[in-house]
Amino acid sequence: MEKDYREKSLQYWEGVHEEQDYDRASIRVDDWLEPFDEIIMGAEQPILDLGCGGGNDTLYLLKKGKKVVACDQSERAIRRMRKNFPEITETKCFNMLDGLAFPEDSFEVVIADLSLHYFTEKDTAFIISELQRILIPGGHLLLRVNSVNDVNHGAGQGKEVEPHLYESEAGTLKRFFNESDIRKFFKEYKIDYLKEETMSRYKLEKKLFCVCVRF
Ligand SMILES: C[S@@+](CC[C@H](N)C(=O)[O-])C[C@H]1O[C@@H](n2cnc3c(N)ncnc32)[C@H](O)[C@@H]1O
């Protein structure tokens, strides 16, 4: 990815996380991970929350009694995670564009909730190859990404720099997926679940794809 997009993304997310200095009691959990309960409960190793942001999914996992490793590019997000979740196994601050900072076969389950739709096709493919490296064979990736129908959150708006990838006014990139985009990105792996859903965590409803991939 061009250096400029990378810097703009970091600036943007540091700004968002600075504005939102909430405590644990105000974190909202939604139930999108429920269909994958068996996968989550079966994991013996800590689960990776990739692009953890405010920790909505970390909170869900901790409530289920799971161990969690949380990471994000934003130092502010990571600081808030340590404050709100002192029991967390590990936190790491790194940029996914530099690869995923873990040894191979580190995780049985990785959760990437709204964190894999900010990249060019080349970078997305690289991050997926890194996911394959850090997941055990047969490990699962549970993810949600923007849908092409997510008109309330920018679908089809801004300059299209690649098919379905838009540059926002803030100079950041945002991808909107359709079903065949998802099947193409994960063509080497087994898609066990793929469904367009509506999320109500934000003020305006959001259309996204919920996906479970077995590596
Ligand atoms: C929409 S938020 C989602 C946060 C959380 N997973 C959730 O669902 O509430 C996206 C997060 O991905 C992180 N992120 C975006 N690009 C990243 C990158 N290149 N490397 C690491 N984290 C990144 C952002 O800093 C932000 O915290």
Side-chain angles (χ1 to χ4, degrees):
M1 187 197 283
E2 282 172 40
K3 205 165 154 248
D4 200 34
Y5 285 130
R6 180 184 168 129
E7 276 167 16
K8 291 250 167 66
S9 165
L10 183 59
Q11 257 170 32
Y12 174 80
W13 284 108
E14 287 289 25
V16 168
H17 293 307
E18 181 176 30
E19 255 171 49
Q20 303 174 347
D21 188 21
Y22 39 75
D23 58 17
R24 182 173 179 142
S26 50
I27 297 173
R28 289 179 64 191
V29 170
D30 67 87
D31 61 0
W32 76 280
L33 289 169
E34 285 298 332
F36 314 112
D37 211 41
E38 222 178 290
I39 292 170
I40 288 169
M41 294 318 288
E44 286 171 11
Q45 300 298 321
I47 293 175
L48 177 62
D49 187 355
L50 181 65
C52 60
N56 309 64
D57 298 301
T58 289
L59 180 57
Y60 177 91
L61 295 169
L62 292 173
K63 280 184 170 172
K64 291 267 174 187
K66 304 310 290 183
K67 291 202 166 74
V68 181
V69 171
C71 57
D72 203 281
Q73 66 175 339
S74 159
E75 282 181 14
R76 287 193 177 118
I78 292 297
R79 269 202 299 277
R80 192 182 47 208
M81 290 294 287
R82 289 212 200 92
K83 180 190 80 163
N84 284 336
F85 304 107
E87 72 271 49
I88 205 166
T89 302
E90 189 185 353
T91 53
K92 258 191 190 176
C93 188
F94 63 84
N95 195 311
M96 288 186 232
L97 292 166
D98 296 327
L100 306 181
F102 300 98
E104 61 187 42
D105 297 343
S106 292
F107 298 99
E108 296 158 86
V109 180
V110 174
I111 287 169
D113 191 11
L114 307 175
S115 61
L116 292 184
H117 49 213
Y118 299 113
F119 308 106
T120 62
E121 194 176 327
K122 188 164 156 256
D123 290 335
T124 308
F126 168 67
I127 293 167
I128 292 171
S129 74
E130 280 290 282
L131 282 161
Q132 195 244 332
R133 187 183 62 76
I134 66 165
L135 274 162
I136 59 162
H140 288 91
L141 170 68
L142 307 175
L143 73 152
R144 292 197 297 187
V145 286
N146 298 323
S147 157
V148 287
N149 298 315
D150 192 17
V151 287
N152 287 336
H153 297 270
Q157 294 156 38
K159 184 174 135 209
E160 194 170 26
V161 295
E162 269 183 13
H164 296 172
L165 181 70
Y166 294 84
E167 186 182 308
S168 73
E169 272 179 22
T172 57
L173 293 176
K174 207 165 166 183
R175 179 176 291 283
F176 295 87
F177 292 77
N178 63 21
E179 192 175 322
S180 72
D181 294 334
I182 293 169
R183 292 198 183 280
K184 196 169 142 208
F185 276 118
F186 291 103
K187 64 179 184 308
E188 289 169 42
Y189 313 107
K190 172 107 178 32
I191 295 181
D192 285 341
Y193 184 98
L194 171 60
K195 205 169 159 203
E196 190 177 31
E197 294 177 359
T198 303
M199 183 183 90
S200 53
R201 195 199 284 167
Y202 302 141
K203 216 180 280 168
L204 295 175
E205 81 173 18
K206 179 168 181 64
K207 292 273 181 205
L208 41 70
F209 280 95
C210 180
V211 191
C212 172
V213 186
R214 186 147 36 96
F215 279 74

